Amino acid sequence: MAEPDLADLDAFAAVARERSFRGAARLRGVSASALSEAVRRLEEGAGVRLLNRTTRSVTPTEAGQQLLERLAPALREVAAALDAVNGFRDGGGLIGTLRLNVPGIVSRVVLPPIAARFMLRHPGVMLDVVAEDSFVDVLAQGYDAGIRYDESIAQDMIAVPIGPRQQCYALAAAPAYLAAHGEPRHPRELLAHRCIRHRFINGHTLPWELERAGEVVRIRPDGPLLTNGAEMQMEAATQGLGIIFSFGEVLAPHLASGALRPVLREWWQSFPGPCLYYPSRRLMPAPLRAFVDLLREPESRWAGALT
């Protein structure tokens, strides 16, 4: 029998535990075909079938079950050993790379103070962050974890709150715009106003949704600017070109300075804050584990400005 590859053994164990190539592939962030090829190599090397496959199920054979029972604790020991070796260097400092995929708003107003505290604590870790608003399969794309809002997170993911627990969408306009065009008193009046709209990279635009006392109004306003550029939207708003609809945290400095004034304040809709999500604690990379530990500390330890 040829010397088995550790990765193939791990692939077999994942499929045998999940009783599914697709289920194991989803948890591991690889394709089902890649796992099937790994199991095929292992079976050919061993000269014995390890998994019974039908169109409806995958179950270990007697040989496969015996291998799984003896393999599982060994793989846990290997994972722990690699985590210790790869995660720490001389003096106990954590090393490695933590790759995150996050929405643009999180990269601008939620993640920076948390990331700064993490990097100060773990200077040997490189934080690799990609900001994009479309939902992606983070594991298939090579990320350790993602950050999204609750409605975008699959139920089989582990989710850890990050940043504010409540956020809101807010409306604002420059005093000059309101002086020239008047101030809307109801969300439907926005249809008669010049509005600055956001378009996602994939071309989608979302309706503006506002709520007061249980009444929800969704509209698709028109206006002079449609862009995915947050800076361009803000510049247009502060120059008096229209009404902007954005995260409250984004508008807050401009509202505080007087460059913008709140519009339809009583209709601003709140929603739960974002979560860091990842598929499993098994074989969790040391940098990700440290980042999760940081998030689970009391809020005063990581939120807000560094002190």
Side-chain angles (χ1 to χ4, degrees):
M1 174 180 173
E3 186 76 17
D5 185 275
L6 183 60
D8 290 350
L9 288 168
D10 190 46
F12 158 74
V15 175
R17 277 193 302 270
E18 293 298 317
R19 300 295 198 269
S20 166
F21 281 94
R22 289 185 178 180
R26 183 174 62 250
L27 289 176
R28 292 168 59 85
V30 299
S31 67
S33 61
L35 292 181
S36 179
E37 178 63 20
V39 173
R40 184 195 64 76
R41 286 194 300 268
L42 193 60
E43 288 178 329
E44 285 188 356
V48 63
R49 180 174 289 276
L50 299 172
L51 296 174
N52 288 319
R53 308 159 176 84
T54 71
T55 56
R56 294 180 177 273
S57 66
V58 176
T59 56
T61 63
E62 183 179 357
Q65 186 61 38
Q66 289 187 16
L67 176 61
L68 178 64
E69 290 173 358
R70 300 191 67 176
L71 190 59
L75 287 175
R76 284 195 293 270
E77 288 297 320
V78 169
L82 289 175
D83 195 41
V85 171
N86 294 331
F88 293 89
R89 61 182 175 188
D90 295 342
L94 193 67
I95 62 172
T97 300
L98 176 59
R99 298 178 178 88
L100 302 177
N101 184 285
V102 309
I105 180 64
V106 170
S107 72
R108 294 193 300 273
V109 303
V110 174
L111 189 56
I114 302 170
R117 190 174 294 280
F118 177 77
M119 288 184 290
L120 286 172
R121 183 178 296 183
H122 303 292
V125 175
M126 185 183 80
L127 194 58
D128 183 353
V129 179
V130 170
E132 58 182 317
D133 291 320
S134 58
F135 187 77
V136 300
D137 185 338
V138 293
L139 295 178
Q141 296 296 324
Y143 298 99
D144 296 304
I147 299 175
R148 289 297 185 274
Y149 289 86
D150 289 344
E151 68 274 10
S152 299
I153 299 176
Q155 293 184 352
D156 59 351
M157 293 287 178
I158 298 171
V160 180
I162 181 171
R165 288 301 75 226
Q166 286 291 318
Q167 292 181 267
C168 75
Y169 287 120
L171 285 160
Y177 175 87
L178 296 175
H181 300 276
E183 186 170 343
R185 301 300 176 184
H186 189 276
R188 299 197 188 282
E189 294 181 15
L190 291 169
L191 295 172
H193 279 266
R194 295 166 61 82
C195 295
I196 297 164
R197 296 170 296 153
H198 180 79
R199 178 176 59 201
F200 293 97
I201 292 293
N202 60 14
H204 291 169
T205 61
L206 296 179
W208 290 11
E209 184 172 300
L210 298 108
E211 180 180 8
R212 182 181 67 178
E215 180 187 358
V216 178
V217 178
R218 296 180 183 87
I219 61 168
R220 288 189 177 274
D222 202 356
L225 180 63
L226 176 63
T227 178
N228 69 319
E231 293 80 7
M232 182 174 288
Q233 294 172 37
M234 190 58 63
E235 181 67 17
T238 57
Q239 292 298 319
L241 298 178
I243 297 176
I244 188 171
F245 181 70
S246 187
F247 287 83
E249 293 92 341
V250 172
L251 300 180
H254 306 279
L255 292 170
S257 70
L260 296 177
R261 281 173 41 193
V263 172
L264 294 171
R265 177 66 183 84
E266 67 277 14
W267 287 88
W268 293 1
Q269 188 180 54
S270 63
F271 53 91
C275 290
L276 177 89
Y277 69 97
Y278 53 95
S280 173
R281 292 186 179 88
R282 182 174 174 272
L283 300 181
M284 191 174 178
L288 177 58
R289 189 186 306 277
F291 193 76
V292 170
D293 289 344
L294 179 67
L295 296 182
R296 287 180 169 147
E297 292 178 0
E299 185 174 348
S300 61
R301 295 286 300 277
W302 53 260
L306 294 173
T307 57

